[in-house]
Coordinates of all heavy atoms in Angstrom, one line a residue:
M1 N 0.8 -1.2 0.0 CA 0.0 0.0 0.0 C 0.9 1.2 0.0 O 1.9 1.3 0.7 CB -0.9 0.0 1.2 CG -1.8 1.2 1.3 SD -2.9 1.1 2.7 CE -3.2 2.8 3.0
Y2 N 0.5 2.2 -0.8 CA 1.2 3.4 -0.9 C 0.5 4.5 -0.1 O -0.7 4.5 -0.1 CB 1.4 3.9 -2.4 CG 2.1 2.9 -3.2 CD1 1.4 2.0 -4.0 CD2 3.5 2.8 -3.2 CE1 2.1 1.0 -4.8 CE2 4.2 1.9 -4.0 CZ 3.5 1.0 -4.7 OH 4.1 0.0 -5.5
K3 N 1.2 5.4 0.5 CA 0.6 6.5 1.2 C 0.5 7.8 0.3 O 1.3 7.9 -0.6 CB 1.4 6.8 2.5 CG 1.5 5.7 3.5 CD 2.4 6.0 4.6 CE 2.5 4.9 5.6 NZ 3.3 5.2 6.8
E4 N -0.3 8.7 0.7 CA -0.4 10.0 0.0 C 1.0 10.6 0.1 O 1.7 10.5 1.1 CB -1.4 10.9 0.7 CG -2.8 10.5 0.3 CD -3.9 11.5 0.8 OE1 -3.5 12.5 1.3 OE2 -5.1 11.2 0.6
H5 N 1.3 11.3 -1.0 CA 2.6 12.0 -1.2 C 3.8 11.0 -1.6 O 4.9 11.5 -1.8 CB 3.0 12.9 0.0 CG 1.9 13.8 0.4 ND1 1.5 14.8 -0.4 CD2 1.1 13.8 1.5 CE1 0.5 15.5 0.2 NE2 0.3 14.9 1.3
S6 N 3.5 9.7 -1.7 CA 4.5 8.8 -2.2 C 4.7 9.0 -3.7 O 3.7 9.2 -4.4 CB 4.1 7.3 -2.0 OG 3.9 7.1 -0.6
R7 N 5.9 8.9 -4.1 CA 6.2 8.8 -5.6 C 6.2 7.4 -6.0 O 6.6 6.5 -5.4 CB 7.6 9.4 -5.9 CG 7.7 10.9 -5.8 CD 9.0 11.4 -6.0 NE 9.8 11.0 -4.8 CZ 11.1 10.9 -4.8 NH1 11.8 11.1 -5.9 NH2 11.8 10.5 -3.7
V8 N 5.5 7.2 -7.2 CA 5.4 5.9 -7.8 C 5.7 6.0 -9.3 O 5.6 7.1 -9.9 CB 4.0 5.3 -7.5 CG1 3.8 5.0 -6.1 CG2 2.9 6.1 -8.1
I9 N 5.9 4.8 -9.9 CA 6.2 4.7 -11.3 C 5.2 3.9 -12.0 O 4.8 2.8 -11.5 CB 7.6 4.2 -11.5 CG1 8.6 5.1 -10.9 CG2 7.9 4.0 -13.0 CD1 10.0 4.6 -10.9
L10 N 4.6 4.3 -13.1 CA 3.7 3.5 -13.9 C 4.4 2.3 -14.5 O 5.6 2.4 -15.0 CB 3.1 4.3 -15.1 CG 2.1 5.4 -14.7 CD1 1.6 6.1 -16.0 CD2 0.9 4.8 -13.9
T11 N 3.7 1.1 -14.5 CA 4.3 -0.1 -15.1 C 3.6 -0.4 -16.4 O 4.0 -1.4 -17.1 CB 4.2 -1.3 -14.1 OG1 2.8 -1.5 -13.8 CG2 5.0 -1.0 -12.8
E12 N 2.6 0.3 -16.7 CA 1.9 0.1 -18.0 C 1.2 1.4 -18.4 O 1.0 2.3 -17.6 CB 0.8 -1.1 -17.8 CG -0.2 -0.8 -16.8 CD -1.1 -2.0 -16.6 OE1 -0.6 -3.1 -16.1 OE2 -2.3 -1.9 -17.0
P13 N 0.8 1.5 -19.7 CA 0.1 2.7 -20.1 C -1.2 2.8 -19.4 O -2.0 1.9 -19.2 CB -0.1 2.5 -21.6 CG 0.8 1.4 -22.0 CD 1.0 0.5 -20.8
V14 N -1.6 4.1 -19.1 CA -2.9 4.4 -18.5 C -3.4 5.7 -19.1 O -2.7 6.6 -19.4 CB -2.9 4.5 -17.0 CG1 -2.5 3.1 -16.3 CG2 -2.0 5.6 -16.5
K15 N -4.8 5.8 -19.2 CA -5.4 7.0 -19.7 C -5.5 8.0 -18.5 O -5.9 7.5 -17.4 CB -6.7 6.8 -20.3 CG -6.6 6.2 -21.7 CD -7.9 6.3 -22.4 CE -7.7 5.9 -23.8 NZ -8.9 6.1 -24.6
D16 N -5.2 9.2 -18.7 CA -5.4 10.2 -17.6 C -6.8 10.7 -17.7 O -7.6 10.3 -18.5 CB -4.3 11.4 -17.7 CG -4.5 12.2 -18.9 OD1 -5.6 12.4 -19.4 OD2 -3.5 12.7 -19.4
D17 N -7.2 11.5 -16.7 CA -8.6 12.0 -16.6 C -9.1 12.8 -17.8 O -10.3 12.9 -18.0 CB -8.8 12.8 -15.3 CG -8.7 11.9 -14.1 OD1 -8.6 10.7 -14.2 OD2 -8.8 12.5 -13.0
D18 N -8.1 13.3 -18.6 CA -8.5 14.1 -19.8 C -8.4 13.2 -21.1 O -8.6 13.8 -22.2 CB -7.6 15.3 -20.0 CG -7.9 16.3 -18.9 OD1 -9.0 16.4 -18.4 OD2 -6.9 17.0 -18.5
G19 N -8.2 11.9 -21.0 CA -8.1 11.0 -22.1 C -6.7 10.9 -22.7 O -6.6 10.2 -23.7
G20 N -5.7 11.6 -22.2 CA -4.4 11.4 -22.7 C -3.7 10.2 -22.2 O -4.3 9.5 -21.3
M21 N -2.6 9.8 -22.7 CA -1.9 8.6 -22.3 C -0.7 8.9 -21.5 O 0.1 9.7 -21.8 CB -1.5 7.8 -23.5 CG -2.6 7.1 -24.2 SD -3.6 5.9 -23.2 CE -2.4 4.7 -22.9
M22 N -0.6 8.2 -20.3 CA 0.6 8.2 -19.5 C 1.3 6.9 -19.8 O 0.6 5.9 -20.0 CB 0.2 8.4 -18.0 CG -0.6 9.6 -17.7 SD 0.2 11.2 -18.3 CE 1.7 11.2 -17.3
L23 N 2.6 6.9 -19.8 CA 3.4 5.8 -20.3 C 4.1 5.1 -19.2 O 4.4 5.7 -18.1 CB 4.4 6.2 -21.4 CG 3.7 6.9 -22.6 CD1 4.8 7.4 -23.5 CD2 2.8 6.0 -23.3
P24 N 4.5 3.8 -19.4 CA 5.3 3.1 -18.4 C 6.6 3.9 -18.1 O 7.2 4.5 -19.1 CB 5.6 1.8 -19.0 CG 4.5 1.6 -20.0 CD 4.1 3.0 -20.5
G25 N 6.9 4.1 -16.9 CA 8.1 4.9 -16.5 C 7.8 6.3 -16.1 O 8.6 6.9 -15.4
D26 N 6.6 6.8 -16.4 CA 6.2 8.1 -15.9 C 6.1 8.1 -14.4 O 5.5 7.1 -13.8 CB 4.8 8.5 -16.5 CG 5.0 8.9 -18.0 OD1 6.1 9.1 -18.5 OD2 3.9 9.1 -18.7
V27 N 6.6 9.1 -13.8 CA 6.6 9.2 -12.3 C 5.4 10.1 -11.9 O 5.3 11.2 -12.3 CB 7.9 9.8 -11.8 CG1 7.9 9.9 -10.3 CG2 9.1 8.9 -12.3
G28 N 4.7 9.6 -10.9 CA 3.6 10.3 -10.4 C 3.6 10.4 -8.9 O 4.4 9.7 -8.2
V29 N 2.8 11.2 -8.3 CA 2.7 11.3 -6.8 C 1.3 11.0 -6.4 O 0.3 11.4 -7.0 CB 3.0 12.8 -6.3 CG1 2.8 12.9 -4.8 CG2 4.5 13.1 -6.7
V30 N 1.2 10.1 -5.4 CA -0.1 9.7 -4.9 C -0.8 10.9 -4.2 O -0.2 11.5 -3.3 CB 0.0 8.5 -3.9 CG1 -1.4 8.2 -3.3 CG2 0.6 7.3 -4.6
I31 N -2.0 11.3 -4.7 CA -2.7 12.4 -4.1 C -4.0 12.0 -3.4 O -4.6 12.7 -2.7 CB -3.0 13.6 -5.1 CG1 -3.8 13.1 -6.2 CG2 -1.6 14.2 -5.5 CD1 -4.3 14.3 -7.1
H32 N -4.3 10.7 -3.6 CA -5.5 10.2 -2.9 C -5.4 8.7 -2.9 O -5.1 8.1 -4.0 CB -6.8 10.6 -3.6 CG -8.0 10.0 -3.0 ND1 -8.5 10.5 -1.8 CD2 -8.9 9.0 -3.4 CE1 -9.6 9.8 -1.4 NE2 -9.8 8.9 -2.4
V33 N -5.8 8.1 -1.8 CA -5.8 6.6 -1.7 C -7.3 6.2 -1.5 O -7.9 6.7 -0.6 CB -5.0 6.1 -0.5 CG1 -5.1 4.6 -0.4 CG2 -3.5 6.6 -0.6
H34 N -7.8 5.4 -2.4 CA -9.2 4.9 -2.3 C -9.3 3.9 -1.2 O -8.3 3.3 -0.7 CB -9.6 4.3 -3.6 CG -10.0 5.3 -4.7 ND1 -11.2 5.8 -4.9 CD2 -9.2 5.9 -5.6 CE1 -11.2 6.7 -5.9 NE2 -9.9 6.8 -6.3
P35 N -10.5 3.7 -0.6 CA -10.7 2.7 0.5 C -10.1 1.4 0.1 O -10.2 0.9 -1.0 CB -12.2 2.6 0.6 CG -12.7 3.9 0.1 CD -11.8 4.3 -1.0
R36 N -9.5 0.8 1.1 CA -8.8 -0.5 1.0 C -7.7 -0.5 0.0 O -7.3 -1.6 -0.5 CB -9.8 -1.6 0.7 CG -10.9 -1.8 1.8 CD -11.9 -2.9 1.5 NE -12.7 -2.6 0.3 CZ -13.7 -1.7 0.2 NH1 -14.0 -1.0 1.2 NH2 -14.3 -1.6 -0.9
A37 N -7.2 0.7 -0.4 CA -6.1 0.8 -1.4 C -6.4 0.1 -2.7 O -5.5 -0.4 -3.4 CB -4.8 0.4 -0.8
E38 N -7.7 0.1 -3.1 CA -8.1 -0.6 -4.3 C -7.7 0.2 -5.5 O -7.6 -0.3 -6.7 CB -9.6 -0.9 -4.3 CG -10.5 0.3 -4.2 CD -11.9 0.1 -3.8 OE1 -12.1 -1.0 -3.2 OE2 -12.7 0.9 -4.2
A39 N -7.5 1.5 -5.4 CA -7.0 2.4 -6.4 C -6.3 3.6 -5.8 O -6.5 4.0 -4.7 CB -8.2 2.8 -7.3
Y40 N -5.6 4.3 -6.7 CA -4.8 5.5 -6.3 C -5.0 6.6 -7.3 O -5.1 6.3 -8.5 CB -3.3 5.2 -6.2 CG -3.0 4.2 -5.2 CD1 -2.9 2.8 -5.5 CD2 -2.7 4.5 -3.8 CE1 -2.5 1.9 -4.6 CE2 -2.4 3.5 -2.9 CZ -2.3 2.2 -3.3 OH -2.0 1.3 -2.4
V41 N -5.1 7.8 -6.9 CA -5.2 9.0 -7.8 C -3.8 9.5 -7.8 O -3.2 9.8 -6.7 CB -6.2 10.0 -7.4 CG1 -6.2 11.2 -8.3 CG2 -7.6 9.4 -7.3
L42 N -3.2 9.7 -9.0 CA -1.8 10.2 -9.1 C -1.8 11.5 -9.8 O -2.7 11.8 -10.7 CB -1.0 9.2 -10.0 CG -0.9 7.8 -9.5 CD1 0.0 7.0 -10.5 CD2 -0.4 7.6 -8.1
E43 N -0.9 12.4 -9.4 CA -0.7 13.7 -10.1 C 0.7 13.5 -10.8 O 1.7 13.1 -10.2 CB -0.6 14.8 -9.1 CG -0.3 16.1 -9.7 CD -0.2 17.3 -8.8 OE1 0.2 17.0 -7.6 OE2 -0.5 18.4 -9.1
F44 N 0.7 14.0 -12.0 CA 2.0 14.0 -12.8 C 2.3 15.5 -13.1 O 1.4 16.3 -13.4 CB 1.8 13.3 -14.1 CG 1.5 11.8 -13.9 CD1 0.2 11.4 -13.8 CD2 2.5 10.9 -13.9 CE1 -0.1 10.0 -13.6 CE2 2.2 9.5 -13.7 CZ 0.9 9.1 -13.5
V45 N 3.6 15.8 -12.9 CA 4.0 17.2 -13.1 C 5.1 17.3 -14.1 O 5.9 16.3 -14.3 CB 4.5 17.9 -11.8 CG1 3.4 17.9 -10.7 CG2 5.7 17.1 -11.2
G46 N 5.2 18.4 -14.8 CA 6.2 18.7 -15.8 C 7.5 19.1 -15.1 O 7.5 19.4 -13.8
V47 N 8.5 19.3 -15.8 CA 9.8 19.8 -15.2 C 9.7 21.2 -14.6 O 10.5 21.5 -13.8 CB 11.0 19.7 -16.2 CG1 11.2 18.2 -16.6 CG2 10.7 20.5 -17.4
N48 N 8.7 21.9 -15.0 CA 8.5 23.3 -14.5 C 7.6 23.2 -13.2 O 7.4 24.3 -12.6 CB 7.8 24.2 -15.5 CG 6.4 23.8 -15.9 OD1 5.9 22.7 -15.4 ND2 5.7 24.6 -16.7
G49 N 7.2 22.1 -12.7 CA 6.4 21.9 -11.5 C 4.9 22.0 -11.7 O 4.2 21.8 -10.7
A50 N 4.5 22.3 -12.9 CA 3.0 22.5 -13.2 C 2.4 21.1 -13.4 O 3.0 20.2 -14.0 CB 2.8 23.3 -14.4
T51 N 1.2 20.9 -12.9 CA 0.5 19.6 -13.1 C 0.2 19.4 -14.6 O -0.3 20.3 -15.3 CB -0.9 19.6 -12.4 OG1 -0.6 19.8 -11.0 CG2 -1.6 18.4 -12.6
T52 N 0.6 18.2 -15.1 CA 0.3 17.9 -16.5 C -0.8 16.9 -16.7 O -1.4 16.8 -17.7 CB 1.6 17.4 -17.2 OG1 2.0 16.2 -16.5 CG2 2.7 18.4 -17.2
A53 N -1.0 16.1 -15.6 CA -2.1 15.1 -15.7 C -2.5 14.5 -14.4 O -1.7 14.6 -13.4 CB -1.6 13.9 -16.6
I54 N -3.7 14.1 -14.3 CA -4.2 13.4 -13.1 C -4.8 12.0 -13.6 O -5.5 12.0 -14.6 CB -5.3 14.1 -12.4 CG1 -4.9 15.5 -12.0 CG2 -5.9 13.4 -11.2 CD1 -3.9 15.6 -10.8
A55 N -4.5 10.9 -13.0 CA -5.0 9.6 -13.4 C -5.3 8.8 -12.2 O -4.6 8.8 -11.2 CB -3.9 8.9 -14.3
T56 N -6.3 7.9 -12.3 CA -6.6 6.9 -11.3 C -6.1 5.6 -11.8 O -6.3 5.2 -12.9 CB -8.1 6.9 -11.1 OG1 -8.6 8.2 -10.7 CG2 -8.5 5.8 -10.0
V57 N -5.3 4.9 -10.9 CA -4.7 3.7 -11.3 C -5.0 2.6 -10.2 O -5.3 2.9 -9.1 CB -3.2 3.8 -11.4 CG1 -2.8 4.9 -12.5 CG2 -2.5 4.2 -10.1
T58 N -4.8 1.4 -10.6 CA -4.9 0.2 -9.7 C -3.5 -0.1 -9.2 O -2.5 0.2 -9.8 CB -5.6 -1.0 -10.4 OG1 -4.8 -1.4 -11.5 CG2 -7.0 -0.6 -10.8
P59 N -3.4 -0.8 -8.1 CA -2.1 -1.2 -7.5 C -1.2 -1.9 -8.5 O 0.0 -1.8 -8.5 CB -2.4 -2.1 -6.3 CG -3.8 -1.6 -5.9 CD -4.5 -1.3 -7.2
N60 N -1.7 -2.8 -9.4 CA -0.9 -3.5 -10.3 C -0.4 -2.6 -11.5 O 0.4 -3.1 -12.3 CB -1.6 -4.7 -10.9 CG -2.9 -4.3 -11.7 OD1 -3.6 -3.4 -11.3 ND2 -3.1 -5.0 -12.8
Q61 N -0.8 -1.4 -11.6 CA -0.3 -0.5 -12.6 C 0.9 0.4 -12.2 O 1.3 1.2 -13.0 CB -1.4 0.4 -13.1 CG -2.5 -0.4 -13.8 CD -3.7 0.5 -14.2 OE1 -4.3 1.2 -13.4 NE2 -4.1 0.4 -15.5
I62 N 1.3 0.3 -10.9 CA 2.4 1.1 -10.4 C 3.3 0.3 -9.6 O 3.1 -0.8 -9.2 CB 1.8 2.3 -9.5 CG1 0.9 1.7 -8.4 CG2 1.0 3.3 -10.3 CD1 0.4 2.8 -7.4
R63 N 4.5 0.9 -9.4 CA 5.5 0.3 -8.5 C 6.2 1.4 -7.7 O 6.1 2.6 -8.1 CB 6.5 -0.5 -9.3 CG 7.4 0.3 -10.2 CD 8.5 -0.6 -10.8 NE 9.4 0.2 -11.7 CZ 10.4 0.9 -11.3 NH1 10.7 1.1 -10.0 NH2 11.2 1.5 -12.2
A64 N 6.9 1.0 -6.7 CA 7.6 2.0 -5.9 C 8.8 2.5 -6.6 O 9.4 1.8 -7.4 CB 8.0 1.3 -4.6
V65 N 9.2 3.7 -6.3 CA 10.5 4.3 -6.8 C 11.6 3.6 -6.1 O 11.6 3.4 -4.9 CB 10.5 5.8 -6.6 CG1 11.8 6.4 -6.9 CG2 9.4 6.5 -7.4
T66 N 12.7 3.4 -6.8 CA 13.9 2.8 -6.1 C 15.1 3.7 -6.4 O 15.1 4.6 -7.2 CB 14.3 1.4 -6.7 OG1 14.8 1.5 -8.0 CG2 13.1 0.5 -6.7
S67 N 16.2 3.4 -5.7 CA 17.4 4.2 -5.8 C 18.1 4.0 -7.2 O 19.0 4.7 -7.6 CB 18.4 3.9 -4.7 OG 18.8 2.6 -4.7
H68 N 17.6 3.0 -7.9 CA 18.2 2.7 -9.2 C 17.5 3.3 -10.4 O 17.8 3.1 -11.6 CB 18.3 1.1 -9.4 CG 19.1 0.5 -8.4 ND1 20.5 0.5 -8.4 CD2 18.8 -0.3 -7.3 CE1 21.0 -0.1 -7.4 NE2 19.9 -0.6 -6.7
D69 N 16.4 4.0 -10.1 CA 15.6 4.7 -11.1 C 16.2 6.0 -11.6 O 16.8 6.7 -10.7 CB 14.1 4.9 -10.7 CG 13.4 3.6 -10.5 OD1 13.5 2.8 -11.3 OD2 12.7 3.5 -9.4
V70 N 16.1 6.3 -12.8 CA 16.5 7.6 -13.3 C 15.4 8.3 -14.0 O 14.5 7.6 -14.6 CB 17.7 7.4 -14.3 CG1 17.3 6.8 -15.6 CG2 18.5 8.7 -14.6
L71 N 15.3 9.6 -13.9 CA 14.2 10.4 -14.5 C 14.5 10.6 -16.0 O 15.7 10.7 -16.4 CB 14.0 11.7 -13.8 CG 13.5 11.6 -12.3 CD1 13.4 12.9 -11.7 CD2 12.2 10.8 -12.3
H72 N 13.4 10.8 -16.8 CA 13.5 11.0 -18.2 C 12.4 12.0 -18.6 O 11.3 11.9 -18.1 CB 13.4 9.7 -18.9 CG 13.3 9.8 -20.4 ND1 14.4 9.8 -21.2 CD2 12.2 9.9 -21.2 CE1 14.0 9.9 -22.4 NE2 12.7 10.0 -22.5
A73 N 12.7 12.9 -19.5 CA 11.7 13.8 -19.9 C 11.2 13.4 -21.3 O 11.9 12.9 -22.1 CB 12.3 15.2 -20.0
R74 N 9.9 13.7 -21.5 CA 9.2 13.5 -22.8 C 8.2 14.6 -23.0 O 7.7 15.2 -22.1 CB 8.6 12.1 -22.9 CG 7.4 11.9 -22.1 CD 6.8 10.5 -22.3 NE 5.7 10.3 -21.4 CZ 4.4 10.6 -21.7 NH1 4.1 11.2 -22.8 NH2 3.4 10.3 -20.8
V75 N 7.8 14.8 -24.3 CA 6.8 15.8 -24.6 C 5.4 15.1 -24.5 O 5.2 14.0 -25.1 CB 7.0 16.3 -26.0 CG1 5.8 17.3 -26.4 CG2 8.3 17.0 -26.2
M76 N 4.5 15.6 -23.6 CA 3.3 15.0 -23.3 C 2.4 14.8 -24.6 O 1.7 13.8 -24.6 CB 2.5 15.8 -22.3 CG 3.0 15.7 -20.9 SD 2.7 14.1 -20.2 CE 0.9 14.1 -20.1
N77 N 2.4 15.7 -25.5 CA 1.4 15.6 -26.6 C 1.9 14.7 -27.8 O 1.3 14.5 -28.8 CB 1.1 17.0 -27.2 CG 0.4 17.8 -26.2 OD1 -0.3 17.3 -25.4 ND2 0.5 19.1 -26.2
E78 N 3.1 14.1 -27.6 CA 3.7 13.3 -28.6 C 3.1 11.9 -28.6 O 2.8 11.4 -27.6 CB 5.2 13.2 -28.4 CG 5.9 12.8 -29.7 CD 7.4 13.3 -29.6 OE1 7.7 14.4 -29.1 OE2 8.2 12.5 -30.0
S79 N 2.9 11.3 -29.8 CA 2.4 10.0 -29.9 C 3.4 9.0 -29.2 O 4.5 9.1 -29.4 CB 2.3 9.6 -31.4 OG 2.1 8.2 -31.5
P80 N 2.8 8.1 -28.4 CA 3.7 7.1 -27.7 C 4.5 6.3 -28.7 O 5.6 5.9 -28.4 CB 2.7 6.2 -27.0 CG 1.5 7.0 -26.8 CD 1.4 7.9 -28.0
A81 N 4.1 6.1 -29.9 CA 4.9 5.3 -30.9 C 6.1 6.1 -31.3 O 7.1 5.5 -31.8 CB 4.0 5.0 -32.1
R82 N 6.1 7.4 -31.1 CA 7.3 8.2 -31.6 C 8.2 8.6 -30.4 O 9.2 9.2 -30.6 CB 6.8 9.5 -32.2 CG 6.0 9.2 -33.5 CD 5.5 10.5 -34.1 NE 6.6 11.5 -34.2 CZ 6.3 12.8 -34.3 NH1 5.1 13.2 -34.4 NH2 7.3 13.7 -34.3
V83 N 7.8 8.2 -29.2 CA 8.7 8.5 -28.0 C 9.8 7.6 -27.9 O 9.6 6.4 -28.0 CB 7.8 8.5 -26.7 CG1 8.7 8.7 -25.5 CG2 6.7 9.5 -26.8
N84 N 11.0 8.1 -27.8 CA 12.2 7.2 -27.7 C 12.7 7.2 -26.3 O 12.7 8.1 -25.6 CB 13.3 7.7 -28.7 CG 12.9 7.5 -30.1 OD1 12.2 6.5 -30.4 ND2 13.2 8.4 -31.0

């Protein structure tokens, strides 16, 4: 179970609340834990600190951040097929 304000990493693609796609490896912050931790609401921010997306995910769609993870930047509006 993750607590609010925990950083987590997506393990699979998920649609955000506006219909955009968040990709595996995207880092989010838990902003709400649903009852019994059946789902989490995540906030994703850009490098400027502004919120770029909000998404609700299930526990199997995220994992904890580790000391071996490295951050990576991508353009949000770009097609996932073109992201390298």
Side-chain angles (χ1 to χ4, degrees):
M1 179 173 155
Y2 301 99
K3 297 179 181 181
E4 286 187 2
H5 308 292
S6 297
R7 284 177 291 156
V8 295
I9 299 175
L10 290 179
T11 59
E12 60 186 67
V14 297
K15 284 196 175 186
D16 66 34
D17 289 357
D18 292 327
M21 287 300 294
M22 301 307 296
L23 302 178
D26 286 348
V27 179
V29 174
V30 176
I31 59 172
H32 178 73
V33 180
H34 284 267
R36 298 177 301 283
E38 61 197 24
Y40 299 91
V41 179
L42 306 181
E43 178 182 30
F44 298 88
V45 298
V47 295
N48 65 353
T51 300
T52 58
I54 302 288
T56 301
V57 301
T58 59
N60 64 318
Q61 295 175 306
I62 56 176
R63 68 172 177 83
V65 171
T66 72
S67 61
H68 299 287
D69 292 316
V70 71
L71 295 177
H72 173 84
R74 68 178 178 89
V75 177
M76 285 289 297
N77 295 331
E78 200 158 319
S79 166
R82 293 179 48 200
V83 175
N84 293 325

